[in-house]
């Protein structure tokens, strides 16, 4: 009979079997989580991945959970993609106000491209968001395209008179004179004089062609007026761009003047240092000459100078 404190014989193999069962259940949960992710159910995918990690932690499960939280519908990456896809215009895509300058447009595009590029953002719709972002930058970075786009935002899409020209008359269209009401028609009335004359083989009325040309000129003038209005709408934008460009040129001119003054100051400083160096060279040359003269004195002159010096000292002492 076994004692109460002795371990059971089966307990040695129970723990490995349970670990193996947990690993299988964790792998099955991870596979289900991936299937849920492909189906678009990120909430269930996150729940099943957390279950897999709880059963048997693994690097694959942790990496997949981090991927779901980083690129899921509630993540910042997915929200950025959704914002771009729902943007109403190119300025909203770049998070800029209308009339932004080229530097702001380029800086905003570079910052957003790093966030929504498909190589860096695996959220759903990142490819379409990046294409929309590229289209917005391509339009706003070109002055002519930007000018046309700004005009469309203000007045809506209109047909330009310069591009389309005068509107042609429909096929088979002819001018006809208005017919009088029935109560004013006579018994032998056969329609407009032009139709009656054409039926009789007579020449057409000469005044009809001039009226048709007049209507065409009126249509052309309307298109030219529409084009002039568009150009007038773009004029404030061009003025703002001109003002900004003038400011940039003034700042550039001020910077050049500042650099030129600094260069002149450096030249003056260098000239002063050069003059000081030449003066010191002359002084050193004079000292060297004096040293050479002193070196050429013979010993007798040095002895006489020493005696005279001693005599002067004694005289000063005696005084």
């Amino acid at each position: 009979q076994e004692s109460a404190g002795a371990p059971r014989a089966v307990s040695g193999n129970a723990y490995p079997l349970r670990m193996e069962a947990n690993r299988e259940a964790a792998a099955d949960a991870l596979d289900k989580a991936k299937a849920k992710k492909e189906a678009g159910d990120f909430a269930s995918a996150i729940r099943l991945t957390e279950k897999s990690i709880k059963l048997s932690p693994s690097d694959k499960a942790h990496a997949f959970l981090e991927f779901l939280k980083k690129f899921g519908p509630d993540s910042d990456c997915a929200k950025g993609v959704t914002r771009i896809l729902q943007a109403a215009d190119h300025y909203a895509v770049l998070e800029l106000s209308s009339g932004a300058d080229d530097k702001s447009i380029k800086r905003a595009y570079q910052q957003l491209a790093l966030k929504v590029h498909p190589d860096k953002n695996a959220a759903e719709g990142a490819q379409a968001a990046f294409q929309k972002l590229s289209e917005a930058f391509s339009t706003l970075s070109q002055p002519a395209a930007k000018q046309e786009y700004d005009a469309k935002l203000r007045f809506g899409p209109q047909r330009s008179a310069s591009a389309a020209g005068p509107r042609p008359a429909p096929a088979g269209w002819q001018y006809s004179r208005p017919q009088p009401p029935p109560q004013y028609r006579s018994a032998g009335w056969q329609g407009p004089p032009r139709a009656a004359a054409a039926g009789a083989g007579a020449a057409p009325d000469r005044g009809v062609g001039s009226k048709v040309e007049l209507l065409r000129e009126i249509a052309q003038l309307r298109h030219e007026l529409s084009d002039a209005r568009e150009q007038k709408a773009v004029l404030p934008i061009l003025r703002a761009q001109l003002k900004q460009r003038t400011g940039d040129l003034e700042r550039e001119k001020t910077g050049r003047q500042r650099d030129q003054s600094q260069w002149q100051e450096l030249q003056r400083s260098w000239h002063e240092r050069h003059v000081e160096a030449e003066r010191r060279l002359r002084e050193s040359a004079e000292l060297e000459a004096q040293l050479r003269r002193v070196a050429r004195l013979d010993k007798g002159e040095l002895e006489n100078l020493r005696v005279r010096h001693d005599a002067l000292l004694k005289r000063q002492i005696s005084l």
Side-chain angles (χ1 to χ4, degrees), residues 79-279:
K79 290 179 180 178
V81 170
T82 304
R83 184 197 64 78
I84 292 177
L85 293 177
Q86 294 178 354
D89 52 61
H90 292 340
Y91 289 103
V93 170
L94 296 172
E95 295 181 323
L96 296 173
S97 58
S98 59
D101 56 357
D102 295 339
K103 292 183 180 179
S104 301
I105 292 172
K106 185 176 181 180
R107 182 170 59 251
Y109 170 74
Q110 291 175 349
Q111 292 176 356
L112 292 174
L114 292 175
K115 295 180 180 179
V116 300
H117 195 281
D119 293 342
K120 296 182 178 295
N121 192 338
E124 185 177 359
Q127 182 70 30
F130 183 73
Q131 291 179 356
K132 189 173 182 179
L133 177 65
S134 301
E135 181 182 357
F137 175 71
S138 176
T139 301
L140 299 181
S141 61
Q142 301 178 12
K146 183 175 182 294
Q147 176 180 346
E148 183 180 357
Y149 184 76
D150 291 340
K152 287 182 179 180
L153 285 182
R154 294 190 63 179
F155 299 99
Q158 296 181 358
R159 188 180 180 183
S160 176
S162 60
R167 184 179 300 173
W173 181 86
Q174 286 184 348
Y175 175 77
S176 61
R177 296 180 181 180
Q179 300 178 4
Q183 63 268 23
Y184 295 104
R185 300 178 186 175
S186 61
W189 190 77
Q190 299 294 331
R194 185 172 185 270
D205 189 4
R206 296 293 182 181
V208 176
S210 62
K211 292 180 180 180
V212 173
E213 293 296 332
L214 181 60
L215 291 175
R216 290 181 179 177
E217 290 179 2
I218 291 174
Q220 183 176 359
L221 289 175
R222 286 178 179 176
H223 285 294
E224 292 178 356
L225 179 60
S226 176
D227 190 18
R229 287 177 179 174
E230 291 181 0
Q231 293 179 359
K232 184 179 179 181
V234 176
L235 186 60
I237 300 174
L238 296 178
R239 287 177 178 173
Q241 293 178 355
L242 178 61
K243 184 177 180 181
Q244 181 182 358
R245 181 58 179 168
T246 304
D248 294 340
L249 291 176
E250 289 293 336
R251 286 190 293 271
E252 185 177 355
K253 182 180 178 181
T254 304
R256 288 181 179 177
Q257 291 177 353
R258 183 174 60 253
D259 295 341
Q260 186 176 3
S261 61
Q262 291 178 356
W263 172 248
Q264 292 176 354
E265 184 66 25
L266 288 174
Q267 284 183 335
R268 282 196 298 270
S269 176
W270 178 83
H271 180 69
E272 292 175 357
R273 291 182 181 180
H274 181 68
V275 172
E276 181 67 19
E278 288 183 348
R279 186 182 62 79

